[in-house]
Amino acid sequence: MSVTSIDAPIVVQKYGGSSVATAERIVQIAERVIACLVDHPRLVVAVSAMGKTTDQLVSLARQVSGRPHGREYDLLLAAGEQIAVSLLALALQDKGTAAIALTGAQSRMRTDNAFNRARIQSIDTTRILEELARGRVVVIAGFQGVTDADEVTTFGRGGGDITGAAVAAALKASVCEICTDVDGVLSADPNLVPDARVWPQITYEEAIEMASSGAKVLHPRAAEICMEFGIPIHVRSSFHRRPGTWIRQGVPEMEQPSVVGVTGDKKIAKVTLFGVPDRPGIAAEIFKDLADRELLIRLIIQSAANEAVARITFIVDDEVADRARELILVWKDKGIAKDGLVEGHMAKIAIVGSRLSSTPGLAARMFAALAREGINIDCISSSEMKVACVIAADQLDRAIKAVHGEFFGQSEPSSRALRA
Ligand code: ADP
Ligand code: ASP
Ligand code: MG
């Protein structure tokens, strides 16, 4: 039985900035999209701003404002994606393929009112479905939405993936393809570790953990949305048509490797509070103050109290280090801490894998690899799927290579990689 185009499953493809960096690349992506239409006649394409456009817009804003933020900042940043979708749709039309470019607002992507870090609340898919029914490729601007009051919002850096995932979920697409400049999800950033391995398949949980620990190939919120709505993700190269990494709830493999990724995060700051009174409610107050100021915490370590005082350490993004410094003064005033220290230019390295907690010796191997490189570990934290160490930022690249070598060097070929 043949499937009519109206019944064909919807496929959502997201092209990142590196895939549409130049006019020439946009023409190539148009050709790729047209080739995909043969198998997937109902195609929705989410697109990011060209190359470094968003960085340039951020830099422009910083030249006119000390701390650009809020409504106008979002209006500015959203412009990058508007350029990219318009060009891609023009390129498709030029090749005789019906296409329509839509901004976040035109694709009816409703968000909350949190400028610069908006969250999607709903997508009214009527317009998108109508355009698909007219036989058009629907090209949607990534990274942006609109509030009930018609204000333009953006989702935070790297948020184009969130658009792809949310559109795929709303349309119940058969797959959300994340088309990028690498071959899939690898055991480390291939730009740093050229012999990193491409996984044919990983779980949503592994993808989320890797993404939140710094693997920027996929936004963690995109993986969360697809997990929640049961949409398979296919992270693949936009430069060729070979398969990349599937992220989905699949039949577990018999012998999965314990470590699937070595990740790094360079732009972090470490905040240490000294002389924190050892009594109930203090930690709650500290982290409520941080939450009220919307400071995201990446990692928390509290040492056992000694003589009724404790030390609390946590990690924040480098860019909010100044705001953490302001808070320390508040806490000293309130008697929550005797003193505090914010150290910028730190980095975090992590090993990630769903079998981490059930495999003994992995943390020891990671620490030993760092020690062999003479790299000092500042603090350590671990969870079911991750062991993370804070180290000096200028040692991160060397640390990632050493730890990756420990787990993926000749000595431990992984079952998944062998099957690839
Ligand atoms: P896009 O422009 O397509 O959104 P990004 O630059 O956001 O692309 O993400 C792709 C980049 O993610 C790659 O170029 C690579 O340097 C980086 N990366 C970091 N860690 C990993 C990893 N474990 N696997 C694949 N890519 C990774
Ligand atoms: N253009 C936005 C950014 O550079 C969103 C994205 O690329 O995913 O952060
Ligand atoms: Mg990206």
Side-chain angles (χ1 to χ4, degrees), residues 14 16-18 179-182 184-186 188-191 210 215-217:
K14 178 261 169 179
S18 50
C179 305
T180 185
D181 62 346
V182 287
V185 180
L186 287 92
D189 184 342
N191 289 315
M210 277 182 78
K216 99 181 222 272
V217 65

Side-chain angles (χ1 to χ4, degrees), residues 218-361:
L218 181 65
H219 197 293
R221 272 165 63 193
E224 279 165 14
I225 292 170
C226 286
M227 179 163 92
E228 197 170 321
F229 289 85
I231 307 289
I233 304 174
H234 188 184
V235 180
R236 62 193 308 187
S237 172
S238 67
F239 290 77
H240 58 70
R241 298 285 300 278
R242 292 191 295 281
T245 303
W246 282 91
I247 303 169
R248 59 184 161 203
Q249 226 78 61
V251 184
E253 294 183 43
M254 288 296 280
E255 270 194 274
Q256 299 184 31
S258 310
V259 175
V260 293
V262 181
T263 58
D265 194 348
K266 226 173 215 168
K267 294 180 181 152
I268 61 167
K270 188 180 86 170
V271 182
T272 312
L273 300 181
F274 304 97
V276 179
D278 184 26
R279 58 166 198 265
I282 291 284
E285 197 164 344
I286 292 171
F287 290 99
K288 180 166 186 311
D289 285 344
L290 288 160
D292 288 347
R293 285 163 181 77
E294 287 165 352
L295 296 186
L296 272 181
I297 310 299
R298 305 263 166 227
L299 193 150
I300 305 172
I301 300 162
Q302 173 170 348
S303 60
N306 188 4
E307 292 176 7
V309 286
R311 175 190 290 199
I312 294 186
T313 303
F314 54 86
I315 300 297
V316 292
D317 289 341
D318 222 0
E319 62 183 24
V320 298
D322 284 343
R323 287 160 70 198
R325 279 190 191 96
E326 289 164 19
L327 259 177
I328 287 178
L329 299 178
V330 175
W331 289 327
K332 278 169 77 173
D333 271 358
K334 289 206 268 185
I336 282 181
K338 279 215 171 59
D339 210 349
L341 181 68
V342 179
E343 293 164 81
H345 309 298
M346 304 292 292
K348 193 180 72 181
I349 176 171
I351 53 172
V352 173
S354 46
R355 287 181 53 239
L356 226 61
S357 60
S358 59
T359 315

